[in-house]
Amino acid sequence: MEPIENIGEEYQNYWETKMFLQNEELDSWAIDEAFSGYYDSSSPDGAASSAASKNIVSERNRRKKLNERLFALRAVVPNISKMDKASIIKDAIGYIQELHDQEKKIQAELLELESGKSKKNHGGFGVHYHQELPVLLRSKKKKIDYQFCDFGGSKISPIELLELRVAYMGENTLLVSLTCNKRTDTMVKLCEVFESLGLKIITANITTISGRVLKTVFIEVSLFN
Amino acid sequence: MEPIENIGEEYQNYWETKMFLQNEELDSWAIDEAFSGYYDSSSPDGAASSAASKNIVSERNRRKKLNERLFALRAVVPNISKMDKASIIKDAIGYIQELHDQEKKIQAELLELESGKSKKNHGGFGVHYHQELPVLLRSKKKKIDYQFCDFGGSKISPIELLELRVAYMGENTLLVSLTCNKRTDTMVKLCEVFESLGLKIITANITTISGRVLKTVFIEVSLFN
DNA sequence: CCGGACACGTGAGGC
DNA sequence: TGCCTCACGTGTCCG
C-alpha cells in the first residue's frame, strides 16, 4: 500500500494545484495492474500488462508535459481572465494579436520616420513626405497647402509650418527655408522629415530663437528627374 | 445509416486534418446510444442514456473548442516548427517572449528618446543621457569617456563622437559643441539626444559640412542644482 | 515493433 | 440540481 495516487476516487483538485502536486514522479503503475483483466484482454500475462502500463505512463507524461507548457504559456501572457485551458489559449491569441498590432504600428511609424534612405526615389515606399518636395519645384503658390500636410509622422503634436520658402539658387542648388513653432520634438521631427526624404543635402542649419524653429537647407537637385 | 463518424474504428487522421473534417456539426449522437449498455450502467433506461450521451457530446464539444483555439493559436504564431500540440504551445511561448523583448527594447528606446520632457530633472527617468551632462560640469578631462557612451539609442549605427567641447560662457550659459561623422540619421539622433535631456536650450545650431556633422548648443544652467 | 501523438468515453469535483 | 472542466485509461494510427 504505497502512497500511490488514488485513481478513480477523489483527489481531483483544480488543475493548476494538481500540477504542483504532480511534480513528484508519478509511479502509479500497479493501478492498472490491479485493473488488468478488467476488459479481458487476449493474453492476461505480465508482458501485456507491462506494455499497457508503459503506454499509460507515457500518456501520463505527455499530458503532464502539455499541461506544463500551458502553464508556462499562461505565465507569459498578462491579463488572464480565467484559468481555463481554452481561456488561456484564447487570451494568448488575443495578446499575440495585440502585440502584432502594436508592432505593426510601430514598424509603420519607424518606416515612415526613419526610412526613405534605402532606395533613392523610385517612388514606391514613402507615404506622405515624398509627395511634397517634388511639388515644391513646380509651383510656389501652394505654400498655404503645406500648412495642412501632416509634417512629422508621430501623431503627437504635428508640426505646423509658419513659413516655407523655396528658392532656386542656380547650379542645381535649391534653398528651402521654413519656420515653425517650437514645441516638443519639433527639431527632431524636422530632422526626421528631411532625412527621410533621401535628398542630397549640401548643408543644413537648424536653430531655435524666441520660441520659433528656423531651418535652412541647401539641396542639390538634378533638373532631369 | 447516416454518414456518422465511425467511432472506435479507423478514422484516426492527423488531428489537423481531422479538425477540417470536424467542421461540420458533429451530430454523432446515436453512436454512444449504440454503445450504451456497453459498460452496463445501473439503470439501462433511456433517461440515463440521455444524460450520459449529453455528457459525451458536451465533452466532445469541449475538446473540439479547445482544438479550435489551439489551431487559432497556431495561426497567429509564425515559424511553427511542428504541428504537435505541445510544440504549438512552446512556439507560442517563445514567440511571446520574443515579442516581449522587442517591445521592451522599443519601449526603452522611445522612453529614452522621446521622454525627458515630462518632469524637469528630478533624476528618475533617463538611463544614459542624463548622467552625462551633469558630469560635464565637474571635469573636462573625461572627454575620452564619452566616446564609448552609446549616443543614440537605436542599435543601428550608433553615433560616434569625434570631438566634444564644453565651455562655461558665464551668466548661467553653457556652450556644448560636438562633431561626428555624418551617416544615416545622425542629425536625427543628435536632436533626439539633446531634446531628450530636457535642457533649457537657449539656441541650437546643427550643420553638416564635408561628411561631418557639427552641433553647437547654448544651454541655460542653474549652478545650484 | 515500439514510442509518440491523438481522440474518445468516463468518473469525479466544483460552481 | 445540472453544467462545466479536468484527469485518466484505452484503442488506434503513424514514422
Side-chain angles (χ1 to χ4, degrees), chain A residues 150-199:
Chain A
D150 52 347
F151 248 54
S154 181
K155 43 196 161 301
I156 323 163
S157 71
I159 296 178
E160 46 184 39
L161 288 178
L162 293 178
E163 187 184 9
L164 172 64
R165 292 184 300 163
V166 181
Y168 182 61
M169 298 277 103
E171 299 187 10
N172 293 339
T173 301
L174 199 67
L175 169 61
V176 177
S177 170
L178 61 91
T179 63
C180 54
N181 276 326
K182 166 145 187 63
R183 50 186 66 182
T184 54
D185 291 329
T186 299
M187 280 170 47
V188 169
K189 288 173 185 171
L190 277 178
C191 289
E192 284 170 344
V193 167
F194 272 88
E195 295 217 44
S196 72
L197 288 171
L199 304 171

Coordinates of all heavy atoms in Angstrom, one line a residue, chain A residues 150-199:
Chain A
D150 N 0.6 66.7 -42.9 CA 0.9 66.2 -41.6 C 2.5 66.1 -41.5 O 3.0 65.0 -41.7 CB 0.2 64.9 -41.2 CG 0.4 63.9 -42.3 OD1 0.9 64.3 -43.4 OD2 0.1 62.8 -42.1
F151 N 3.1 67.2 -41.2 CA 4.5 67.1 -41.0 C 4.8 66.3 -39.8 O 4.2 66.6 -38.7 CB 5.1 68.5 -40.9 CG 6.0 68.9 -42.1 CD1 5.5 68.8 -43.4 CD2 7.2 69.4 -41.9 CE1 6.2 69.1 -44.5 CE2 8.0 69.7 -43.0 CZ 7.5 69.6 -44.3
G152 N 5.8 65.5 -39.8 CA 6.1 64.7 -38.6 C 5.1 63.5 -38.5 O 4.0 63.7 -38.2
G153 N 5.6 62.3 -38.7 CA 4.7 61.2 -38.7 C 4.1 60.9 -37.3 O 3.1 60.2 -37.3
S154 N 4.8 61.3 -36.3 CA 4.2 61.0 -35.0 C 2.9 61.7 -34.8 O 2.7 62.9 -35.2 CB 5.2 61.4 -33.9 OG 4.7 61.0 -32.6
K155 N 2.0 61.0 -34.2 CA 0.6 61.6 -34.0 C 0.5 62.6 -32.9 O -0.4 63.3 -32.8 CB -0.4 60.5 -33.8 CG 0.1 59.5 -32.8 CD -0.7 58.2 -32.9 CE 0.0 57.1 -32.3 NZ 1.3 56.8 -33.0
I156 N 1.6 62.7 -32.1 CA 1.5 63.7 -31.0 C 2.1 65.0 -31.5 O 3.2 65.1 -31.9 CB 2.3 63.2 -29.8 CG1 2.2 61.7 -29.7 CG2 2.0 63.9 -28.6 CD1 3.3 61.0 -28.8
S157 N 1.3 66.0 -31.5 CA 1.6 67.4 -31.8 C 2.3 67.5 -33.1 O 3.5 67.6 -33.2 CB 2.6 68.0 -30.7 OG 3.8 67.4 -30.8
P158 N 1.6 67.4 -34.2 CA 2.2 67.5 -35.5 C 2.7 68.9 -35.7 O 2.3 69.9 -35.2 CB 1.0 67.2 -36.5 CG -0.2 67.6 -35.7 CD 0.1 67.2 -34.3
I159 N 3.8 69.0 -36.6 CA 4.4 70.2 -36.8 C 3.5 71.1 -37.7 O 3.0 70.7 -38.7 CB 5.8 70.0 -37.5 CG1 6.7 69.2 -36.5 CG2 6.4 71.3 -37.9 CD1 8.0 69.0 -37.2
E160 N 3.3 72.3 -37.2 CA 2.6 73.3 -38.1 C 3.6 74.3 -38.6 O 4.2 75.0 -37.8 CB 1.5 73.9 -37.3 CG 1.9 74.4 -35.9 CD 0.7 74.9 -35.1 OE1 -0.4 74.3 -35.2 OE2 0.9 75.9 -34.4
L161 N 3.6 74.4 -39.9 CA 4.5 75.3 -40.5 C 4.0 76.8 -40.4 O 2.8 77.0 -40.5 CB 4.7 75.0 -42.0 CG 5.5 73.7 -42.3 CD1 5.5 73.5 -43.8 CD2 6.9 73.9 -41.8
L162 N 4.9 77.7 -40.1 CA 4.6 79.1 -40.1 C 5.0 79.7 -41.4 O 4.3 80.6 -41.9 CB 5.3 79.8 -38.9 CG 4.8 79.3 -37.5 CD1 5.6 80.1 -36.4 CD2 3.3 79.6 -37.4
E163 N 6.0 79.3 -41.9 CA 6.5 79.9 -43.2 C 7.3 78.9 -43.9 O 8.0 78.1 -43.3 CB 7.4 81.1 -42.9 CG 7.7 81.9 -44.1 CD 8.7 83.1 -43.8 OE1 9.1 83.1 -42.6 OE2 8.9 83.9 -44.7
L164 N 7.2 78.9 -45.2 CA 8.0 78.0 -46.1 C 8.4 78.7 -47.3 O 7.6 79.2 -48.1 CB 7.2 76.7 -46.4 CG 7.8 75.8 -47.4 CD1 9.1 75.2 -46.8 CD2 6.9 74.7 -47.8
R165 N 9.7 78.8 -47.6 CA 10.2 79.4 -48.8 C 11.1 78.5 -49.5 O 11.8 77.7 -48.9 CB 11.0 80.7 -48.4 CG 10.1 81.8 -47.9 CD 11.0 83.0 -47.7 NE 12.1 82.8 -46.8 CZ 13.1 83.6 -46.7 NH1 13.2 84.6 -47.4 NH2 14.1 83.3 -45.8
V166 N 10.9 78.5 -50.8 CA 11.8 77.7 -51.7 C 12.3 78.6 -52.8 O 11.6 79.3 -53.4 CB 11.0 76.5 -52.3 CG1 11.9 75.7 -53.2 CG2 10.3 75.7 -51.3
A167 N 13.6 78.5 -53.0 CA 14.2 79.3 -54.0 C 15.3 78.5 -54.7 O 16.0 77.6 -54.1 CB 14.9 80.5 -53.4
Y168 N 15.4 78.7 -56.0 CA 16.4 78.0 -56.8 C 17.6 78.9 -56.9 O 17.5 80.1 -57.4 CB 15.9 77.7 -58.2 CG 16.9 77.0 -59.0 CD1 17.3 75.7 -58.6 CD2 17.3 77.5 -60.2 CE1 18.2 75.0 -59.4 CE2 18.2 76.8 -61.0 CZ 18.7 75.6 -60.5 OH 19.6 74.9 -61.3
M169 N 18.7 78.5 -56.4 CA 19.9 79.3 -56.3 C 20.8 79.2 -57.5 O 21.9 79.8 -57.6 CB 20.7 78.8 -55.1 CG 20.0 79.0 -53.8 SD 20.2 80.7 -53.1 CE 18.6 81.3 -53.5
G170 N 20.4 78.3 -58.5 CA 21.3 78.1 -59.6 C 22.3 77.0 -59.3 O 22.5 76.6 -58.1
E171 N 22.9 76.5 -60.3 CA 23.9 75.4 -60.2 C 23.3 74.2 -59.4 O 24.0 73.7 -58.5 CB 25.2 75.9 -59.5 CG 25.9 77.0 -60.3 CD 27.2 77.4 -59.7 OE1 27.6 76.6 -58.8 OE2 27.8 78.4 -60.1
N172 N 22.1 73.8 -59.8 CA 21.5 72.6 -59.2 C 21.4 72.7 -57.7 O 21.4 71.7 -57.0 CB 22.2 71.4 -59.6 CG 22.1 71.1 -61.0 OD1 21.2 71.6 -61.7 ND2 23.1 70.3 -61.5
T173 N 21.2 73.9 -57.2 CA 21.1 74.1 -55.8 C 19.8 74.7 -55.4 O 19.4 75.7 -56.0 CB 22.3 75.0 -55.2 OG1 23.5 74.4 -55.6 CG2 22.2 75.1 -53.7
L174 N 19.1 74.1 -54.4 CA 17.8 74.6 -54.0 C 17.9 75.0 -52.6 O 18.5 74.3 -51.7 CB 16.8 73.5 -54.2 CG 15.3 73.8 -54.3 CD1 15.0 74.6 -55.5 CD2 14.5 72.6 -54.2
L175 N 17.3 76.1 -52.2 CA 17.3 76.6 -50.9 C 15.9 76.4 -50.3 O 14.9 77.0 -50.9 CB 17.7 78.1 -50.8 CG 17.5 78.7 -49.4 CD1 18.2 78.1 -48.3 CD2 17.8 80.2 -49.5
V176 N 15.8 75.7 -49.2 CA 14.5 75.5 -48.5 C 14.6 76.1 -47.2 O 15.6 75.8 -46.4 CB 14.1 74.0 -48.5 CG1 12.8 73.9 -47.7 CG2 14.0 73.5 -49.8
S177 N 13.7 77.0 -46.8 CA 13.8 77.7 -45.5 C 12.4 77.6 -44.9 O 11.4 77.9 -45.6 CB 14.2 79.1 -45.7 OG 14.1 79.8 -44.5
L178 N 12.3 77.3 -43.7 CA 11.0 77.2 -43.0 C 11.1 77.5 -41.6 O 12.2 77.4 -41.0 CB 10.4 75.8 -43.2 CG 11.1 74.6 -42.6 CD1 10.7 74.3 -41.2 CD2 10.9 73.4 -43.4
T179 N 10.0 78.0 -41.1 CA 9.9 78.3 -39.6 C 8.7 77.7 -39.1 O 7.7 77.5 -39.8 CB 9.9 79.8 -39.3 OG1 8.7 80.4 -39.9 CG2 11.1 80.5 -39.9
C180 N 8.7 77.3 -37.8 CA 7.6 76.8 -37.2 C 7.7 77.0 -35.7 O 8.8 77.4 -35.2 CB 7.4 75.3 -37.5 SG 8.8 74.3 -37.1
N181 N 6.6 76.8 -35.0 CA 6.6 77.0 -33.5 C 7.4 75.9 -32.9 O 7.4 74.7 -33.3 CB 5.2 77.0 -33.0 CG 4.5 78.3 -33.1 OD1 5.2 79.4 -33.0 ND2 3.2 78.3 -33.3
K182 N 8.1 76.3 -31.8 CA 8.9 75.3 -31.1 C 8.1 74.6 -30.1 O 7.5 75.3 -29.2 CB 10.1 75.9 -30.5 CG 10.8 75.0 -29.5 CD 12.3 75.2 -29.4 CE 12.9 74.1 -28.5 NZ 12.6 72.7 -29.0
R183 N 7.9 73.4 -30.2 CA 7.3 72.6 -29.1 C 8.1 71.3 -29.0 O 9.2 71.2 -29.5 CB 5.8 72.3 -29.4 CG 5.6 71.7 -30.8 CD 4.1 71.6 -31.1 NE 3.4 72.9 -31.1 CZ 2.1 73.1 -31.3 NH1 1.4 72.0 -31.4 NH2 1.6 74.3 -31.4
T184 N 7.5 70.4 -28.3 CA 8.3 69.2 -28.0 C 8.6 68.4 -29.3 O 7.8 68.2 -30.1 CB 7.5 68.2 -27.1 OG1 6.3 68.0 -27.7 CG2 7.4 68.9 -25.7
D185 N 9.9 68.1 -29.4 CA 10.4 67.2 -30.5 C 10.2 67.9 -31.9 O 10.3 67.3 -32.9 CB 9.6 65.9 -30.6 CG 10.0 65.0 -29.4 OD1 11.1 65.2 -29.0 OD2 9.2 64.2 -29.0
T186 N 10.1 69.2 -31.9 CA 10.0 69.9 -33.2 C 11.3 69.7 -34.0 O 11.2 69.3 -35.2 CB 9.7 71.4 -33.0 OG1 8.5 71.5 -32.3 CG2 9.6 72.1 -34.3
M187 N 12.4 69.9 -33.4 CA 13.6 69.8 -34.1 C 13.8 68.3 -34.6 O 14.3 68.0 -35.7 CB 14.8 70.2 -33.3 CG 15.0 71.7 -33.3 SD 16.2 72.3 -32.0 CE 17.5 71.2 -32.3
V188 N 13.5 67.4 -33.7 CA 13.6 66.0 -34.1 C 12.8 65.7 -35.3 O 13.2 65.1 -36.2 CB 13.2 65.1 -32.9 CG1 13.1 63.7 -33.3 CG2 14.2 65.2 -31.8
K189 N 11.5 66.1 -35.3 CA 10.7 65.8 -36.4 C 11.1 66.5 -37.7 O 11.0 65.9 -38.7 CB 9.2 66.2 -36.0 CG 8.6 65.3 -35.0 CD 7.3 65.8 -34.5 CE 6.7 65.0 -33.4 NZ 5.5 65.6 -32.8
L190 N 11.6 67.7 -37.5 CA 12.1 68.3 -38.7 C 13.2 67.6 -39.3 O 13.3 67.3 -40.5 CB 12.5 69.8 -38.4 CG 11.3 70.8 -38.4 CD1 11.9 72.2 -38.0 CD2 10.7 70.9 -39.8
C191 N 14.1 67.2 -38.5 CA 15.3 66.4 -39.0 C 14.8 65.1 -39.6 O 15.3 64.7 -40.6 CB 16.3 66.2 -37.9 SG 17.2 67.7 -37.3
E192 N 13.9 64.5 -38.9 CA 13.4 63.2 -39.4 C 12.7 63.4 -40.8 O 13.0 62.6 -41.7 CB 12.3 62.6 -38.5 CG 12.9 62.0 -37.2 CD 11.9 61.7 -36.2 OE1 10.7 62.2 -36.3 OE2 12.2 60.9 -35.3
V193 N 11.9 64.4 -40.9 CA 11.3 64.7 -42.2 C 12.3 64.9 -43.3 O 12.3 64.3 -44.4 CB 10.4 65.9 -42.1 CG1 9.9 66.3 -43.5 CG2 9.2 65.5 -41.3
F194 N 13.3 65.7 -43.0 CA 14.3 66.0 -44.1 C 15.2 64.8 -44.4 O 15.5 64.5 -45.5 CB 15.1 67.2 -43.7 CG 14.5 68.5 -44.1 CD1 13.5 69.1 -43.3 CD2 14.8 69.0 -45.4 CE1 12.9 70.3 -43.7 CE2 14.2 70.2 -45.8 CZ 13.2 70.9 -45.0
E195 N 15.5 64.1 -43.3 CA 16.4 62.9 -43.6 C 15.6 61.8 -44.2 O 16.2 61.0 -45.0 CB 17.0 62.4 -42.2 CG 17.9 63.5 -41.7 CD 19.1 62.8 -41.0 OE1 19.7 61.9 -41.6 OE2 19.5 63.3 -39.9
S196 N 14.3 61.7 -44.0 CA 13.6 60.7 -44.6 C 13.3 60.9 -46.1 O 12.9 60.0 -46.8 CB 12.2 60.5 -43.9 OG 11.4 61.6 -44.3
L197 N 13.6 62.1 -46.6 CA 13.4 62.4 -48.0 C 14.5 61.8 -48.8 O 14.3 61.7 -50.1 CB 13.2 63.9 -48.2 CG 11.9 64.5 -47.7 CD1 12.0 66.0 -47.7 CD2 10.8 63.9 -48.5
G198 N 15.6 61.5 -48.3 CA 16.7 60.9 -49.0 C 17.3 61.9 -50.0 O 17.7 61.6 -51.1
L199 N 17.3 63.2 -49.7 CA 17.8 64.2 -50.6 C 19.3 64.3 -50.5 O 19.9 63.8 -49.5 CB 17.1 65.6 -50.2 CG 15.6 65.6 -50.1 CD1 15.1 66.9 -49.5 CD2 15.1 65.5 -51.6

